[in-house]
């Protein structure tokens, strides 16, 4: 029962209200549970903003959404629209399950201000099938209290790999259960989000722009793996990092016992609520000798092929893209995806969001129609390579890279 019905007394009042609900152009919308902080608020705000259109929201557990949508799309029971982890957009576009949004997207006056990284993976065969919706950027965060205790400048974050290593060593020397650095060593998704930007910022990549060529066999990859391997070998990270499949990706730093960790903009809000007394800084993820990069994460908004509710869907998107919509998203966990109003949308919030938003706006997203098999699979070639090389000896790096290069290229070559 909708909120506007609650509180009405008497059958007459209810009867008067029902035709308004029945006349609304209702569309169905799915989102992953990761979005449950902001999506219900956004949908409520949209539904309350007018009576012509109505969004009917269903929140699906994050680990079930992609499979559930694939089954629904194949069976003709898909929702009208979906907030989809952006990296899966090419796969569903290639499968012919999404509506072409090119004309709509290009008609928006702020089209050129929409997140370029989101748009890159929203495009398939030069047509747009997914448009930017929510955003998260990867960043580097450091514990200011531990930096101060270690004799470091608490207001200066590392800007090169050498600085990360040096700062981590000094924090690690504090002893006890304090460690200089942390990463989730057995989490493919975590490392594509926070490790790959180190490679991008150093001039390397993992795929070609069209996703058809795997490019792991590079000096940048070797150097980045050796950088992490060295910190693991010298015990600058906790022993449990080797088997962490992502459970401690954020929580390890929140304990106040970690000096430096790569993370995401989501950590800013999470730390404010879970560890409000923790003093920390945010800076872009650096390249080996400087520069920076970020994984532009979050969701693209896609529309199921054959929907009859396109006008309602467009109205919802335009509301979401408005300053009010972007402010609501920003206040509830998503970075703005419109660069032209990002500062306005973030006005009054923690200033560290601006650092993350700038990093995300300059960030990248790998393009692949088989991303899950390559990267997110728990036993896939990406995390197998990283875990083997991070925690092996120097001789483990080259065979791990070659094995992953071969396995990933084979998966790409046999993809539809």
């Amino acid at each position: 029962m909708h909120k506007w019905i609650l509180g009405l007394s008497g059958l007459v009042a209810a009867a008067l209200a029902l035709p308004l609900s029945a006349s609304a152009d209702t569309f169905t919308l799915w989102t992953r549970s990761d979005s449950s902080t902001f999506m219900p608020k956004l949908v409520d705000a949209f539904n309350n903003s007018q009576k012509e259109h109505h969004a009917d929201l269903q929140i699906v557990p994050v680990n079930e959404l992609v499979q559930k949508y694939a089954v629904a799309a194949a069976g003709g029971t898909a929702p009208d629209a979906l907030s989809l982890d952006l990296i899966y957009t090419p796969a569903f576009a290639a499968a012919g399950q999404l509506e072409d949004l090119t004309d709509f997207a290009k008609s928006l006056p702020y089209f050129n201000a929409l997140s370029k990284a989101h748009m890159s993976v929203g495009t398939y065969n030069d047509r747009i099938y997914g448009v930017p919706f929510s955003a998260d950027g990867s960043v580097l965060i450091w514990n200011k209290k531990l930096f101060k205790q270690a004799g470091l400048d608490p207001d200066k974050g590392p800007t090169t790999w050498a600085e990360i290593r040096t700062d981590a060593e000094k924090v690690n020397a504090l002893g006890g259960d304090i460690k200089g650095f942390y990463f989730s060593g057995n989490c493919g998704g975590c490392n594509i989000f926070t490790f790959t930007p180190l490679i991008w910022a150093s001039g390397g990549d993992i795929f070609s722009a069209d996703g058809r060529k795997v490019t792991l066999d590079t000096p940048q990859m070797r150097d980045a793996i050796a950088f992490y391997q060295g910190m693991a070998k010298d015990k600058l990270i906790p022993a449990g990092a080797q088997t962490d499949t992502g459970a401690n990706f954020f929580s390890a730093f929140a304990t106040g016992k970690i000096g430096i960790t790569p993370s995401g903009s989501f950590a800013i809000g999470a730390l404010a609520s879970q560890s409000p007394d923790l003093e920390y800084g945010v800076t872009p993820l650096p390249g080996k000798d400087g520069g920076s990069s970020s994984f532009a994460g979050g969701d693209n908004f896609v529309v199921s092929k054959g929907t009859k509710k396109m006008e309602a869907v467009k109205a919802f998107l335009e509301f979401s893209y408005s300053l009010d919509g972007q402010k609501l998203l920003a206040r509830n966990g998503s970075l703005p995806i419109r660069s032209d109003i990002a500062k306005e949308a973030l006005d009054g919030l923690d200033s560290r969001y601006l650092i993350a938003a700038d990093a995300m706006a300059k960030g990248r997203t790998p393009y692949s129609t088989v991303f899950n098999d390559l990267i997110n699979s728990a036993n896939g070639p990406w995390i197998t390579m990283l875990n083997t090389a991070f925690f092996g000896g120097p001789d483990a790096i080259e065979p791990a890279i070659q094995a992953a290069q071969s396995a990933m290229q084979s998966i790409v070559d046999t993809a539809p």
Side-chain angles (χ1 to χ4, degrees):
M1 187 174 289
H2 301 300
K3 289 182 178 178
W4 57 268
I5 295 180
L6 296 176
L8 291 177
S9 59
L11 294 175
V12 174
L16 290 173
L18 285 175
L20 187 60
S21 174
S23 66
D25 187 15
T26 298
F27 76 97
T28 51
L29 172 63
W30 287 5
T31 192
R32 52 178 170 157
S33 52
D34 283 3
S35 306
S36 60
T37 302
F38 60 80
M39 188 63 100
K41 295 181 177 70
L42 184 66
V43 167
D44 284 347
F46 169 72
N47 288 341
N48 292 330
S49 70
Q50 39 70 57
K51 298 300 182 185
E52 185 177 355
H53 306 293
H54 186 92
D56 183 10
L57 177 66
Q58 180 178 344
I59 297 174
V60 181
V62 61
N63 294 326
E64 300 175 15
L65 180 61
V66 171
Q67 180 64 23
K68 182 173 182 176
Y69 183 68
V71 172
T77 60
D80 295 301
L82 174 72
S83 179
L84 176 70
D85 187 337
L86 78 171
I87 55 96
Y88 294 112
T89 316
F92 284 108
Q97 293 168 330
L98 305 179
E99 279 288 336
D100 187 332
L101 302 176
T102 307
D103 293 342
F104 165 71
K106 291 187 174 180
S107 73
L108 297 171
Y110 41 81
F111 172 72
N112 290 328
L114 294 174
S115 168
K116 299 294 189 294
H118 284 66
M119 201 65 77
S120 70
V121 289
T123 303
Y124 178 74
N125 285 345
D126 297 322
R127 304 297 290 178
I128 298 170
Y129 293 92
V131 292
F133 189 68
S134 62
D136 187 20
S138 50
V139 292
L140 192 70
I141 57 179
W142 75 94
N143 184 310
K144 291 188 173 186
K145 181 179 178 181
L146 294 181
F147 264 45
K148 189 173 182 179
Q149 290 176 357
L152 297 165
D153 183 346
D155 296 318
K156 184 180 183 300
T159 60
T160 65
W161 297 358
E163 288 182 6
I164 292 175
R165 169 77 193 210
T166 298
D167 293 351
E169 286 176 347
K170 290 183 178 179
V171 170
N172 211 67
L174 294 173
D177 56 356
I178 293 173
K179 289 294 181 179
F181 194 76
Y182 193 85
F183 63 90
S184 296
N186 200 27
C187 176
C190 307
N191 281 288
I192 196 70
F193 187 59
T194 57
F195 179 72
T196 313
L198 304 180
I199 298 164
W200 290 333
S202 302
D205 209 335
I206 62 169
F207 304 139
S208 59
D210 63 0
R212 300 304 303 176
K213 183 179 180 182
V214 179
T215 57
L216 302 181
D217 187 4
T218 64
Q220 293 88 351
M221 177 62 76
R222 291 182 183 84
D223 288 348
I225 290 177
F227 169 49
Y228 265 36
Q229 185 191 84
M231 288 193 287
K233 178 178 69 71
D234 293 336
K235 299 182 175 17
L236 301 184
I237 63 170
Q242 182 171 359
T243 57
D244 179 15
T245 57
N248 295 321
F249 178 59
F250 161 75
S251 59
F253 185 81
T255 65
K257 303 294 185 181
I258 300 296
I260 308 167
T261 191
S263 191
S265 54
F266 70 87
I268 299 172
L271 287 170
S273 61
Q274 298 179 31
S275 304
D277 297 327
L278 187 65
E279 299 177 35
Y280 68 97
V282 173
T283 195
L285 285 160
K288 182 178 181 179
D289 299 312
S292 66
S293 191
S294 176
F295 187 107
D299 282 13
N300 270 340
F301 193 94
V302 301
V303 181
S304 297
K305 186 74 173 177
T307 182
K308 306 299 184 185
K309 302 293 184 176
M310 187 60 77
E311 290 308 310
V313 168
K314 289 178 180 178
F316 178 74
L317 273 173
E318 289 171 352
F319 177 83
S320 302
Y321 286 155
S322 70
L323 181 57
D324 285 344
Q326 291 292 287
K327 282 183 175 180
L328 190 153
L329 285 165
R331 279 153 180 73
N332 291 282
S334 170
L335 293 174
I337 48 78
R338 280 184 59 181
S339 60
D340 58 330
I341 58 172
K343 288 185 178 179
E344 288 180 86
L346 292 168
D347 186 45
L349 299 182
D350 190 316
S351 61
R352 288 170 289 203
Y353 278 117
L354 288 171
I355 299 171
D358 185 60
M360 190 284 298
K362 298 173 182 176
R364 302 166 65 173
T365 311
Y367 187 101
S368 176
T369 60
V370 284
F371 190 95
N372 193 63
D373 293 338
L374 297 176
I375 305 296
N376 281 347
S377 173
N379 299 303
W382 168 252
I383 193 55
T384 299
M385 173 189 72
L386 295 183
N387 191 262
T388 300
F390 286 162
F391 301 100
D395 292 342
I397 295 177
E398 193 61 28
I401 290 175
Q402 295 304 324
Q405 170 74 31
S406 176
M408 290 173 74
Q409 189 64 58
S410 178
I411 291 171
V412 169
D413 289 344
T414 56

